[in-house]
């Protein structure tokens, strides 16, 4: 836990003492600190849908040693998530997931407008459970597979990606991303925004999908440009686009145009406070006129692949695009 010394020190020490006394482990990752999911002693699967409440207007110097006992008094907690700043203060809101919908309803009845402190009443209501994100600012040259591959590199829990022609901008595309849960969508939104990611020339803009825009897209006469679905959303599940898949595509393209095997160099040049790593890469292709280089951000806390491997995969995607456009421009006109 990367806390800034001297900020709210007494409350932080009280939290640490409470954790030790209660034998509770709080895990902080990607700007939130989590208890449970499941908690100690939990038997069976996770609770059903619609059992989570949203808690807002929290004083920033209050922590789980106050909040978890309070919200546990309304019913059995499955999970409690407190959103955190880099300094170790909370961001003023949290989520509590209960064992049943009745427990969640009891928490709302007991604690909505509850005076947590003198002059400080909190808001407690049903969590909206938003699961869909809008990605705008995509150029017309962005392909479906390129977008899918990038999203698989930096986010988790994605169910579907649908690419549309932008209804408000000429020569532009937008994408609707659907995630398996509100938590997965919120983490993806944070990762995509903090990663300063680009596909093409423009920086991607990410926000929750507005219901009115969703309806407009659904009523649009044109079909979406393309869509893929994972998990429970469809009986047909395409294989994930792995590093080896991308390298095979790149090697095939090089072979087709009588180029030799690409040589990759990657180097981590920066790490931000949230764990993201900025990589420089350069790819030299014997027979191609210039090396291809650039920078990218790679997300933390993903299993099964080193950050250098992930950087190599993203670099290969970029090289595929640049190489494809360059070779296409050299073809004779008919």
């Amino acid at each position: 836990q990367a806390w800034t010394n001297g900020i709210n020190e007494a409350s932080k020490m009280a939290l640490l003492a409470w954790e030790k006394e209660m034998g509770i482990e709080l895990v902080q990752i990607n700007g939130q600190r989590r208890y449970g999911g499941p908690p100690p002693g939990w038997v069976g699967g996770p609770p059903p849908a619609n059992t989570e409440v949203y808690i807002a207007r929290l004083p920033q110097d209050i922590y789980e040693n106050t909040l978890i006992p309070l919200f546990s008094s309304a019913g059995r907690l499955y999970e409690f998530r407190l959103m955190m700043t880099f300094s170790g203060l909370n961001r003023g809101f949290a989520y509590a997931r209960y064992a049943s919908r009745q427990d969640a309803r009891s928490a709302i009845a007991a604690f909505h407008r509850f005076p947590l402190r003198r002059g400080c009443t909190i808001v407690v209501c049903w969590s909206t459970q938003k699961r869909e994100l809008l990605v705008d600012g995509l150029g017309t040259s962005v392909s479906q597979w390129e977008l899918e591959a990038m999203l698989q590199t930096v986010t988790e829990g994605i169910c579907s990606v649908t690419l549309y022609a932008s209804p408000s901008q000429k020569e532009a595309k937008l994408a609707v991303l659907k995630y398996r849960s509100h938590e997965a969508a919120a983490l993806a939104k944070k990762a995509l925004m903090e990663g300063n990611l680009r596909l093409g020339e423009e920086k991607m803009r990410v926000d929750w999908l507005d219901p009115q825009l969703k309806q407009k897209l659904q009523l649009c006469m044109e079909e979406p440009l393309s869509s893929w679905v994972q998990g429970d959303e469809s009986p047909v599940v395409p294989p994930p686009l792995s590093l080896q898949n991308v390298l095979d595509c790149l090697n095939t393209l090089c072979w087709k145009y009588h180029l030799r095997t690409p040589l990759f160099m990657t180097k981590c040049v920066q790490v931000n406070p949230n764990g993201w790593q900025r990589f420089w890469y350069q790819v030299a292709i014997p027979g191609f006129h210039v090396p291809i280089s650039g920078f990218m951000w790679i997300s933390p806390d993903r299993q099964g692949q080193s950050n250098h491997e992930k950087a190599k995969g993203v670099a290969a995607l970029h090289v595929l695009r640049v190489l494809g456009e360059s070779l296409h421009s050299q073809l004779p006109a008919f």
Side-chain angles (χ1 to χ4, degrees):
Q1 296 171 342
W3 284 349
T4 302
N5 292 332
I7 297 180
N8 200 27
E9 188 173 356
S11 294
K12 291 172 182 174
M13 295 303 294
L15 172 64
L16 293 173
W18 175 78
E19 285 184 75
K20 185 175 181 179
E21 178 185 354
M22 302 300 294
I24 284 177
E25 181 181 7
L26 302 176
V27 178
Q28 184 165 332
I29 184 172
N30 290 329
Q32 61 177 278
R33 196 162 57 210
R34 177 188 295 175
Y35 159 78
W42 182 271
V43 177
N50 302 317
T51 54
E52 185 175 82
V53 301
Y54 170 68
I55 307 156
R57 297 184 185 173
L58 292 170
Q60 285 192 280
D61 59 348
I62 280 184
Y63 299 125
E64 291 89 343
N65 55 320
T66 297
L67 297 171
I68 288 177
L70 178 68
F71 282 89
S72 293
S73 67
R76 190 179 181 194
L77 274 180
Y78 174 77
E79 183 179 65
F80 190 91
R81 295 183 288 121
L82 184 63
M83 306 301 115
M84 303 297 297
T85 69
F86 290 135
S87 68
L89 297 172
N90 77 62
R91 293 171 56 197
F93 66 100
Y95 296 89
R97 189 176 181 189
Y98 284 90
S100 68
R101 184 173 174 83
Q102 181 55 50
D103 286 346
R105 186 180 292 112
S106 297
I108 294 172
F111 300 124
H112 181 52
R113 297 182 180 175
F114 179 79
L116 196 59
R117 281 182 181 165
R118 184 175 180 179
C120 176
T121 58
I122 61 176
V123 170
V124 182
C125 58
W126 291 106
S127 173
T128 56
Q129 293 293 301
K130 295 178 181 178
R131 296 170 55 198
E132 292 176 300
L133 300 177
L134 175 72
V135 177
D136 206 349
L138 301 174
T140 54
S141 62
V142 171
S143 66
Q144 179 76 16
W145 67 267
E146 185 179 15
L147 178 60
E148 293 168 11
M150 185 276 291
L151 291 169
Q152 290 185 46
T153 302
V154 300
T155 73
E156 294 181 340
I158 193 163
C159 295
S160 67
V161 179
T162 308
L163 198 59
Y164 294 89
S166 174
S168 59
Q169 289 180 283
K170 292 182 179 180
E171 305 298 322
K173 294 179 185 177
L174 57 81
V176 174
L177 320 179
K178 187 172 183 179
Y179 286 82
R180 66 170 179 248
S181 66
H182 173 73
E183 180 185 0
L187 290 174
K189 179 174 180 287
K190 179 179 174 63
L192 292 170
M193 291 175 67
E194 291 187 351
N196 194 30
L197 301 168
R198 294 173 184 268
L199 277 177
E201 297 299 321
E202 299 296 324
K203 180 182 176 183
M204 293 165 45
R205 298 184 296 274
V206 185
D207 208 341
W208 295 109
L209 178 61
D210 180 81
Q212 291 183 340
L213 177 59
K214 180 178 180 179
Q215 185 177 33
K216 185 175 181 179
L217 292 173
Q218 289 173 341
L219 294 175
C220 184
M221 295 300 292
E222 296 182 1
E223 291 295 319
L225 296 176
S226 51
S227 179
W228 68 273
V229 183
Q230 267 192 328
D232 297 334
E233 305 290 328
S234 168
V236 180
V237 182
L241 192 59
S242 67
L243 171 61
Q244 193 57 52
N245 295 150
V246 177
L247 293 177
D248 287 346
C249 290
L250 180 56
N251 289 334
T252 299
L253 183 63
C254 290
W255 174 82
K256 180 179 179 181
Y257 286 94
H258 309 289
L259 302 172
R260 295 173 64 186
T261 303
L263 304 173
F264 288 81
M265 291 181 60
T266 60
K267 182 178 181 180
C268 180
V269 296
Q270 183 182 351
V271 180
N272 78 4
N274 210 32
W276 282 75
Q277 295 185 356
R278 190 176 191 224
F279 275 80
W280 168 84
Y281 64 88
Q282 184 175 86
V283 183
I285 305 174
F288 193 64
H289 55 284
V290 292
I292 300 169
S293 60
F295 292 88
M296 75 190 79
W297 286 97
I298 296 295
S299 65
D301 306 309
R302 294 180 60 87
Q303 302 297 319
Q305 198 177 47
S306 75
N307 282 348
H308 280 276
E309 287 179 318
K310 289 185 282 185
K312 187 176 179 180
V314 177
L317 285 169
H318 181 225
V319 171
L320 265 173
R321 177 176 178 161
V322 171
L323 190 62
E325 290 175 352
S326 175
L327 294 173
H328 183 268
S329 68
Q330 295 172 25
L331 293 175
F334 292 97

